[in-house]
Amino acid sequence: MPGNYDIDKIIEGKKLFLISGPCAIESEKVCFTVAEKLRKLSDKYDIPVIFKSSYAKANRLSGESFAGHGIGFGLEILQKVKDEFDFPILTDIHETSEAIRTAEVADIIQIPAFLCRQTELVREAASTGKWVNIKKGQFLSPDDMDKVAAKARSGKVMLTERGSSFGYHNLVVDFRSLIIMKNFGFPIVFDATHSLQLPGGGGNFSSGQPQFVTPFAKAAVAIGVNGLFVETHPDPLSALSDAAAMLPLEDMETLIVEVKRVSEANQ
């Protein structure tokens, strides 16, 4: 069901846009709580918001970690969010067989960082005609992402920076990456929450440093990204996925105010 938005204008326009939502689709209540708050902030600060949440979490350190409720339940919740709050939807796929079904609800199909080199996955996502957000692998140089983007063929591609991994439970953000990928001609997004994740830092799960999310987001906006990716939750410590990395929902307004100030100064 199309909303009262133009997804092409959001992604290709001059306004900074925000991709946000809880990491995983835990329940309708959590998604609606987050979406309601984001709707109010979007209207108040005139910032386009794309709602993001995952129906499956295929990349888990421990086999005991929450892996999602599945594509059926997840897409049903995302459709309800879309209908109730008039948000474009972004969610990720992990298998080629998921692309067509996901495209019935999602306006943007995301390719997870660890899967960004999977040629058929990228091509299948692009074949739906939807925008494809490809996250740069933690193991890739930004110089390689033009080749990954070329696999999509449709040209409706966004590239997202989410940090580079050198092991030892840490990620490093090289802000040169944003400039390098921007020069390829695609819209560029900075994932402020996953870039500050500490993979495996919690033992059986990933930890994070959400206190640095807003400063890093401001730096990315100053460089000139098109959008920000910020996962959020009303009670992060109780979240079933990325509990230590998400920004508390109550802090989203401060982040939006700060990044808009930087964005407007750049214009």
Side-chain angles (χ1 to χ4, degrees):
M1 175 179 175
N4 296 317
Y5 52 80
D6 186 325
I7 190 63
D8 294 337
K9 287 184 178 179
I10 290 174
I11 295 173
E12 299 177 319
K14 293 184 178 180
K15 282 185 181 179
L16 178 74
F17 62 84
L18 177 66
I19 299 170
S20 190
C23 178
I25 300 169
E26 302 175 17
S27 66
E28 180 177 314
K29 180 179 180 181
V30 168
C31 285
F32 269 49
T33 298
V34 173
E36 182 177 17
K37 179 67 172 182
L38 292 175
R39 178 77 271 163
K40 291 177 180 177
L41 294 175
S42 177
D43 294 342
K44 180 176 180 179
Y45 294 103
D46 190 27
I47 183 169
V49 171
I50 298 163
F51 188 86
K52 180 272 167 188
S53 200
S54 300
Y55 55 74
K57 304 300 296 183
N59 169 34
R60 303 284 85 185
L61 178 62
S62 170
E64 303 303 315
S65 296
F66 176 71
H69 295 301
I71 189 170
F73 176 82
L75 291 180
E76 179 182 343
I77 297 300
L78 291 175
Q79 184 66 61
K80 288 182 178 180
V81 169
K82 189 174 193 174
D83 294 343
E84 181 72 19
F85 300 99
D86 197 32
F87 278 137
I89 298 295
L90 179 151
T91 195
D92 38 357
I93 63 172
H94 304 88
E95 304 282 349
T96 55
S97 60
E98 299 172 4
I100 293 176
R101 187 175 178 186
T102 299
E104 294 175 358
V105 176
D107 300 272
I108 305 170
I109 297 176
Q110 182 166 280
I111 306 298
F114 278 121
L115 298 178
C116 71
R117 287 184 49 160
Q118 299 300 306
T119 300
E120 292 309 313
L121 187 65
V122 174
R123 287 179 176 169
E124 193 68 22
S127 73
T128 65
K130 300 297 179 113
W131 278 90
V132 180
N133 182 37
I134 307 176
K135 286 198 165 185
K136 180 180 76 63
Q138 301 91 322
F139 46 85
L140 280 183
S141 162
D143 298 286
D144 295 331
M145 290 304 291
D146 62 334
K147 304 170 190 65
V148 174
K151 295 177 181 180
R153 295 176 176 169
S154 68
K156 297 177 72 171
V157 176
M158 305 155 56
L159 297 177
T160 293
E161 171 61 57
R162 54 96 71 235
S164 298
S165 177
F166 297 92
Y168 303 99
H169 304 152
N170 202 8
L171 290 166
V172 175
V173 177
D174 182 350
F175 284 102
R176 292 176 299 179
S177 172
L178 300 172
I179 300 170
I180 291 168
M181 293 196 296
K182 192 176 181 69
N183 287 336
F184 297 147
F186 301 106
I188 301 301
V189 175
F190 177 64
D191 184 342
T193 40
H194 284 103
S195 290
L196 290 161
Q197 192 182 58
L198 300 175
N204 288 335
F205 56 90
S206 293
S207 185
Q209 297 175 311
Q211 68 270 30
F212 297 123
V213 167
T214 297
F216 271 52
K218 289 167 64 178
V221 172
I223 287 172
V225 296
N226 302 85
L228 291 171
F229 184 112
V230 181
E231 290 186 337
T232 185
H233 194 281
D235 182 19
L237 293 182
S238 72
L240 300 180
S241 179
D242 274 1
M246 284 188 284
L247 193 69
L249 187 59
E250 63 185 15
D251 293 341
M252 285 298 297
E253 184 165 12
T254 297
L255 178 137
I256 289 172
V257 169
E258 292 291 319
V259 299
K260 278 205 57 128
R261 184 179 295 127
V262 175
S263 178
E264 290 167 359
N266 279 352
Q267 295 175 3

